[in-house]
Amino acid sequence: MQSFFKEHSAGFHTAEAKGIWREYTESYYQMETYYRLFRLSFQKSLETSNILLDDLFKHAVDKVEGLYTHWFLGELGKTITNAQIQLL
């Protein structure tokens, strides 16, 4: 996820809806995949909790949620909104 962020840290600048869809199916979907795999692994880790690792896991969850929810979904949402505005 961090590598994806570094690669796209300036945001997504595709201006047309077809281009956004193409980018999503070729590249952006990877961030969704990384996030879903992380969430599944994190859920499994809760079944066999280790008190010594709890704070580290919480820190990792905060970082992942920040990357996915605040950065990825935010940037992708802005890009889609801008493309829709241009269609009008």
Side-chain angles (χ1 to χ4, degrees), residues 1-7 31 34 63 67:
M1 290 180 81
Q2 188 66 29
S3 294
F4 183 93
F5 170 72
K6 286 180 180 179
E7 191 175 316
M31 189 63 148
Y34 301 147
K63 288 288 190 187
L67 276 176

Side-chain angles (χ1 to χ4, degrees), residues 6-26:
K6 286 180 180 179
E7 191 175 316
H8 301 294
S9 63
F12 310 115
H13 302 292
T14 307
E16 59 182 36
K18 285 182 182 181
I20 295 168
W21 181 248
R22 184 182 63 252
E23 292 289 334
Y24 186 86
T25 60
E26 292 175 0

Side-chain angles (χ1 to χ4, degrees), residues 13-80:
H13 302 292
T14 307
E16 59 182 36
K18 285 182 182 181
I20 295 168
W21 181 248
R22 184 182 63 252
E23 292 289 334
Y24 186 86
T25 60
E26 292 175 0
S27 174
Y28 301 167
Y29 78 92
Q30 293 172 332
M31 189 63 148
E32 298 275 358
T33 302
Y34 301 147
Y35 177 74
R36 302 291 173 222
L37 290 172
F38 175 81
R39 292 301 302 179
L40 284 172
S41 296
F42 179 68
Q43 284 301 115
K44 286 182 183 178
S45 78
L46 294 176
E47 295 170 7
T48 56
S49 182
N50 181 332
I51 253 174
L52 298 174
L53 298 175
D54 280 352
D55 286 341
L56 292 173
F57 282 152
K58 288 176 186 174
H59 182 70
V61 169
D62 290 343
K63 288 288 190 187
V64 167
E65 290 296 334
L67 276 176
Y68 180 75
T69 305
H70 301 293
W71 175 76
F72 178 72
L73 292 180
E75 288 297 320
L76 189 58
K78 282 191 274 185
T79 302
I80 292 169

